[in-house]
Amino acid sequence: MDIPYTVEIRRDTGLTNGKIGIWLFLASEVMLFGALFATYILIRTGSHEWPRGDSILNVPLATFNTIVLISSSVTMVMAWASLMRGRFTTFRLYMASTVLLGGVFLTVKYFEYSHKFHDGLFPSTNNFLAIYFTLTGLHMLHVMGGMAVNAYFLGPGAKQWKTNPVWFTNRVENSGLFWHFVDLVWIFLFPTLYLL
Amino acid sequence: MTEHAVTTTSEHHAADIDKHVRIYITVFVALMALTIVTVAISRLHLREPVAVSVALLVAIVKGSLVASYFMHLISEKKLIYAVLVLTTIFFIVLLALPVVTHSDGFWIRE
């Protein structure tokens, strides 16, 4: 049985099922990260002293990663725009760039984490590092998930462009919504953890 | 793989997409500039309440740009706005809880 309303718009919602589905999922994601931000506020305001992020963490690396993630958001939206223009080759170029930039982000995080562990700084060291590793770790898992889906649309999933280009374009748009959300979370994580 | 134009059920058309692309580039430049502003402000070592307020303000502006233009929230359907309004209410309650409990709330006194 075919999945309904992947291409045509549902009259009652004015949307495809995929679109409303991804937004409901993102709403749940807001609550997940919201709970951890609330935890951060509670721990920070309850502490007698709290270190400035830049005294422990590497701000230049995190700034570089912010630029990388914002750039990947642009390449993602350009990938979708390429499909809307019917330019499949350009789509592949932008999508490959998005996946690559995700990889650069993870590589930088790997070096950041390794450096912390090498210095004997672990989640168990103090509350600041506990919330730092929890928030950035969860965010990294989201980056990995987004990369996996984007890599699928770049690779085997791209076959759908031949058979059902509209559905494929809608799926890439939904994947993009998730990727932009991951970028949006980082936009708040960066100043909260590294600069304050 | 063939190249063929997509005539989606979405209201976007090729001419609109060209306009969107120009907006994406503008937003990208704005986000880069605001990232530099965020880092520069942190170097000023402002008092904590001021630093937190300014950093969050810049982050909210950046987040709004991403949500409005990259996620197309600026021209979305009413149902999605309804979902997000509900989410925002719950999100604010979630963030308010630790603030309220920390402000000497009588219900957490032993």
Side-chain angles (χ1 to χ4, degrees):
Chain A
M1 196 180 98
D2 288 340
I3 303 169
Y5 301 106
T6 52
V7 173
E8 69 276 23
I9 303 284
R10 263 182 83 121
R11 199 175 291 175
D12 52 356
T13 61
L15 298 157
T16 57
N17 278 356
K19 187 71 155 300
I20 189 69
I22 190 75
W23 274 110
L24 287 172
F25 173 65
L26 292 182
S28 76
E29 290 280 89
V30 168
M31 299 312 287
L32 173 65
F33 279 100
L36 284 169
F37 271 107
T39 306
Y40 169 85
I41 296 169
L42 190 66
I43 294 174
R44 181 165 181 164
T45 53
S47 299
H48 290 297
E49 50 186 55
W50 190 263
R52 265 183 70 102
D54 57 9
S55 65
I56 297 174
L57 305 173
N58 190 325
V59 175
L61 272 186
T63 308
F64 174 73
N65 252 356
T66 305
I67 291 166
V68 166
L69 218 50
I70 289 172
S71 304
S72 77
S73 247
V74 179
T75 54
M76 184 77 222
V77 81
M78 292 297 280
W80 169 78
S82 302
L83 289 180
M84 291 296 286
R85 287 161 149 173
R87 297 174 188 169
F88 185 77
T89 311
T90 320
F91 155 76
R92 288 200 111 158
L93 199 68
Y94 280 122
M95 198 52 138
S97 307
T98 308
V99 175
L100 190 73
L101 287 165
V104 171
F105 181 89
L106 290 180
T107 307
V108 170
K109 281 314 290 181
Y110 166 78
F111 283 114
E112 262 194 278
Y113 273 31
S114 302
H115 191 249
K116 293 284 158 293
F117 296 149
H118 182 260
D119 289 349
L121 300 171
F122 297 97
S124 57
T125 306
N126 58 37
N127 281 343
F128 173 82
L129 286 166
I131 198 75
Y132 162 77
F133 280 113
T134 306
L135 275 166
T136 55
L138 183 68
H139 180 262
M140 270 204 314
L141 287 177
H142 281 75
V143 173
M144 288 174 194
M147 278 176 70
V149 175
N150 288 340
Y152 171 74
F153 288 131
L154 180 64
K159 278 186 288 190
Q160 196 182 28
W161 175 252
K162 268 187 170 175
T163 55
N164 195 337
V166 181
W167 189 7
F168 182 67
T169 306
N170 288 345
R171 292 174 88 190
V172 168
E173 183 185 12
N174 294 338
S175 170
L177 286 172
F178 177 77
W179 191 255
H180 301 312
F181 174 78
V182 171
D183 179 28
L184 210 152
V185 170
W186 181 257
I187 283 172
F188 284 91
L189 280 183
F190 172 54
T192 306
L193 295 172
Y194 288 83
L195 303 176
L196 294 174
Chain B
M1 205 62 81
T2 54
E3 303 264 336
H4 46 96
V6 177
T7 49
T8 63
T9 47
S10 152
E11 62 273 25
H12 299 99
H13 297 291
D16 291 334
I17 296 301
D18 288 341
K19 198 173 81 182
H20 283 186
V21 167
R22 284 194 292 275
I23 293 171
Y24 298 149
I25 304 298
T26 311
V27 170
F28 172 63
V29 173
L31 288 171
M32 287 298 164
L34 287 169
T35 300
I36 294 165
V37 168
T38 311
V39 177
I41 289 171
S42 76
R43 297 284 169 89
L44 297 175
H45 292 273
L46 301 167
R47 285 188 307 116
E48 192 172 289
V50 181
V52 171
S53 305
V54 174
L56 283 183
L57 187 71
V58 177
I60 286 168
V61 173
K62 286 171 75 180
S64 303
L65 285 172
V66 171
S68 300
Y69 295 102
F70 292 169
M71 299 173 90
H72 306 134
L73 270 186
I74 204 150
S75 56
E76 253 318 336
K77 294 288 184 293
K78 277 182 190 166
L79 184 64
I80 288 176
Y81 291 141
V83 168
L84 290 179
V85 166
L86 199 63
T87 309
T88 308
I89 293 168
F90 278 98
F91 181 73
I92 290 169
V93 170
L94 199 61
L95 289 191
L97 280 174
V99 177
V100 173
T101 51
H102 187 68
S103 61
D104 220 10
F106 61 88
W107 55 85
I108 61 162
R109 292 245 185 100
E110 290 292 327

